[in-house]
Amino acid sequence: MEQRALMYPWFDELWLRLSKHPAHAILLDAPPGWAIDTLAQVWAQSQLCDHPDARQQPCGTCASCHAFEVKSHPDLGLLFPEIYALENEWPLDPAIQDALDKKERKPSRVIKIDQVREMIEFSQRTASRQGPKIIWIHPAEALTMESANALLKTLEEPVPGLRFILSSEHVDALIPTIRSRCQRLTLTTVNDGAILAWLRQRAQVANVKGGDDDLQAAWLASGQRPMLALHWLTFESFHAESWNQLPDQVARGQAGCIQGWPVFDQLHVFQMVANDWNRVLHGASPRFFESRAFSKNIKPDPRKCSQWMHELTREMQSIDHPLNPQVSLHAWLSRSKSVFLST
């Protein structure tokens, strides 16, 4: 098994703290795009592993690791929103899976109280194997108030041998009573050089062509989120030069390098362009593009630009609705051009 926690260099220091931690309930948190759920998953597997190595990494070869890898370990309890389980191929209750397959309803984005009740029942059963039982909750902020309240007693007074691992990308949205009952471990900042070296290595493995300028551009375009930077690099049309042409191109109603990208990614880019135009107009440095990307000859009305940014935020909130990619892109380009029309 590839040792996934070590796949990401930014986890090294946090793994050392985590592997030495005695708490029965641990909360891991990091900003979006840092794969904190991967670290939680490896930790859960390490706790169930029959023969962890010297760094407390799972061995990947024992019967327990095999059961974990095929996602059927009897002593692992999962509290996920249905949407996360589907996206990451974790099993759902057959009745729920059947309803989703038949499109009778959309997958839930929250952790429901019925799920918590099932997990409390799981926690009270005897472990199937020697060793602990693990309950993994991700994203922890998906717990509703009702679900969190139902979980509190078990979280505060767990039965012997029960351990919790919670992971979150928006820890401030987590209900405070849950947060206060966990030992919190936060991902600290990582050297940019280490991230760029990892990006270079992963790009080579994926046979993604590009130079150091492209890596730097992807890192900037991601808002310093490594998994998103890697995602941008997978697009053949993504290059440092084409990326930094986008602010002016969008202002003129042109799609540039994002033509043909998935709708969600296109809208994400529009948001970044709008955000950085707003920053530049107010005298701040852009966040996702180089300063040279913003022409001094283009000066949109700050009020229109701010309104445009808020419109895009509302669009993103309804992105789950069926969209025709070409119609959506045309509409967004028309709207962006109107913001800059008077310039």
Side-chain angles (χ1 to χ4, degrees), residues 210-218 233 237-247 257 289-290 292-293:
D212 285 351
D213 287 351
D214 299 328
L215 294 177
Q216 291 279 2
L233 285 169
S237 60
F238 183 96
H239 298 287
E241 197 57 38
S242 62
W243 178 255
N244 283 294
Q245 289 171 357
L246 273 173
C257 68
F289 299 87
E290 294 178 27
R292 67 181 176 88

Side-chain angles (χ1 to χ4, degrees), residues 191-332:
N191 180 275
D192 281 7
I195 301 295
L196 291 172
W198 174 82
L199 276 174
R200 188 177 298 107
Q201 186 267 334
R202 297 305 298 176
Q204 289 171 351
V205 169
N207 200 29
V208 173
K209 295 178 174 61
D212 285 351
D213 287 351
D214 299 328
L215 294 177
Q216 291 279 2
W219 183 231
L220 186 64
S222 72
Q224 298 189 323
R225 290 177 285 177
M227 304 308 291
L228 182 56
L230 184 61
H231 177 67
W232 294 142
L233 285 169
T234 63
F235 289 108
E236 190 173 341
S237 60
F238 183 96
H239 298 287
E241 197 57 38
S242 62
W243 178 255
N244 283 294
Q245 289 171 357
L246 273 173
D248 281 7
Q249 288 175 327
V250 168
R252 295 182 172 91
Q254 300 167 4
C257 68
I258 66 171
Q259 183 77 46
W261 288 18
V263 171
F264 178 87
D265 290 310
Q266 288 176 335
L267 182 53
H268 191 178
V269 171
F270 273 95
Q271 284 187 298
M272 291 190 287
V273 170
N275 179 281
D276 272 6
W277 266 115
N278 270 278
R279 291 175 65 87
V280 169
L281 287 171
H282 290 89
S285 298
R287 182 181 175 195
F288 305 105
F289 299 87
E290 294 178 27
S291 296
R292 67 181 176 88
F294 297 85
S295 172
K296 291 183 171 59
N297 297 324
I298 299 177
K299 295 180 180 178
D301 183 315
R303 186 171 54 83
K304 286 184 178 180
C305 205
S306 179
Q307 183 181 7
W308 176 44
M309 185 171 66
H310 291 304
E311 288 173 3
L312 291 169
T313 299
R314 289 194 295 271
E315 288 273 356
M316 184 60 84
Q317 290 169 348
S318 61
I319 195 68
D320 285 341
H321 293 181
L323 293 169
N324 180 315
Q326 290 307 313
V327 171
S328 302
L329 179 61
H330 177 75
W332 295 331

